[in-house]
Amino acid sequence: AGVTRNSLNDALRHTGLQFMIDPGADATIGGMTACGASGTAAVKYHTMRENVLAMTTVLPPQTIASATNDTRSRSKPRVVTCGSNALKNSAGYNLPHLFIGSEGTLGIITDVTVKIYPIPSHVIAASCTFDDLHTAAEVVTTIRMLGIPVSR
């Protein structure tokens, strides 16, 4: 969770894969998860909420999840591992989504498994100007409805 986005992408570069969430800063993966980060690429690659497969979180002592009758263990933090490496999982509560975006208030994220994507073989850029906001919104809606791939 302490690995930064740029460090992860540097380590992945030789594989042809990349972590696509780009909040605009070289943030840590754990911090991006805690904040529910997104960025300009969220149109195509979504946000951290959709890109976290599994995580490990340390809960503070005296929480419901760590409640017990043993007074010695009440002062110890509990570790919760949730999610899986499977791309689809519909069993039980969706605990990773509870922790993603919680800003660290529910626990400290110590380990994160994220989705990685192939580096695009090419990128085409276009720039458009519009006379008014209504026309711009209509064009965006039309592009999305036609299924034209847009990444930013």
Side-chain angles (χ1 to χ4, degrees):
V3 173
T4 64
R5 180 184 61 81
N6 286 339
S7 298
L8 176 60
N9 284 334
D10 288 343
L12 291 171
R13 186 141 298 128
H14 72 282
T15 66
L17 300 170
Q18 186 174 13
F19 178 64
M20 299 305 285
I21 306 299
D22 182 4
D26 190 22
T28 63
I29 303 299
M32 290 169 61
T33 303
C35 294
S38 65
T40 56
V43 172
K44 182 172 183 178
Y45 299 105
H46 308 288
T47 66
M48 283 301 288
R49 184 169 301 279
E50 293 82 18
N51 282 280
V52 172
L53 298 174
M55 64 189 337
T56 301
T57 305
V58 178
L59 301 178
Q62 303 295 330
T63 60
I64 293 173
S66 64
T68 177
N69 290 331
D70 184 4
T71 56
R72 291 173 293 155
S73 65
R74 282 189 190 170
S75 62
K76 295 179 184 175
R78 300 285 189 214
V79 177
V80 174
T81 300
C82 51
S84 75
N85 292 340
L87 293 178
K88 183 176 184 323
N89 183 359
S90 60
Y93 293 112
N94 193 345
L95 289 179
H97 282 193
L98 179 67
F99 292 112
I100 297 168
S102 68
E103 304 281 344
T105 58
L106 300 177
I108 304 300
I109 298 168
T110 60
D111 185 55
V112 182
T113 302
V114 295
K115 291 181 190 176
I116 53 177
Y117 298 88
I119 297 173
S121 59
H122 61 278
V123 176
I124 299 171
S127 177
C128 303
T129 57
F130 301 97
D131 292 331
D132 56 66
L133 182 62
H134 180 74
T135 306
E138 283 182 338
V139 170
V140 169
T141 303
T142 304
I143 288 172
R144 298 291 290 166
M145 288 176 58
L146 291 172
I148 297 172
V150 177
S151 63
R152 295 182 188 259

